[in-house]
Amino acid sequence: DIVMTQTPLSSPVTLGQPASISCRSSQSLVDSDGNTFLSWLQQRPGQPPRLLIYRVSNRFSGVPDRFSGSGAGTDFTLKISRVEAEDVGVYYCMQATQRPWTFGQGTKVEIK
Amino acid sequence: EVQLVQSGGGLVQPGDSLRLSCVVSGLTFSSRWMTWVRQAPGKGLEWVALMSPDGGQKFYVDSVKGRFIISRDNSKNSLYLQLNSLGAEDTATYYCAKDVERGLDSWGQGVLVTVSS
């Protein structure tokens, strides 16, 4: 199984400041067709997860443009350009290149 | 608006069975891959099962193979997860979710399954 490792596990951030979360996979997420199925999800307290980014860098409909995804191969990053109060929650990366699909451990973003 | 409405959770004893349901509206259900994801209390997300639009392809995480069965009824816009031989390690909130380019873009509200004697 592909292991997804996120860092940091906790990220206290000042409102209006940037935040960055790293996600590393134990093997390349590029499939035989050249596709990379790496997505980012946000889970606010008490709510189901919400898709932010799919296929590394595609922002899902309705997601604010302060969220961006980048990376390739085994190393990926989610960036929030200016953290707002509503961004508090746990962020997960997920790979769907190889079954079983696997998630990172989650990164808790909180306001300082 | 896409909606996924779940039902079927509850408290069961070890070894019991349970069936979870997920009714989908607002899209052409019969053309969508669908998944089940679970989250143990206070823990992270775990992918459980995946089904193709026509139901012909099913995939499971190893820990539930032979115990859980994913199914769907496209005439009822419904996805199901049959949970058999439940153990304490299966205690979790179970979510159904819709796949778009292998990102999970719509989620049910989640149902809690508690396995305890």
Side-chain angles (χ1 to χ4, degrees), chain A residues 40-44 47-53 60-64 66-67 86-87, chain B residues 104-105 107:
Chain A
W40 289 95
L41 303 106
Q42 174 197 62
Q43 188 174 30
R44 293 171 172 150
Q47 295 193 13
R50 166 198 179 200
L51 181 65
L52 298 176
I53 304 287
F60 186 61
S61 175
V63 174
R66 64 179 181 276
F67 291 94
E86 66 179 18
D87 300 335
Chain B
L104 301 177
D105 70 311
W107 293 67

Side-chain angles (χ1 to χ4, degrees), chain A residues 9-23:
Chain A
L9 298 184
S10 178
S11 180
V13 185
T14 301
L15 286 174
Q17 293 301 301
S20 180
I21 301 169
S22 172
C23 176

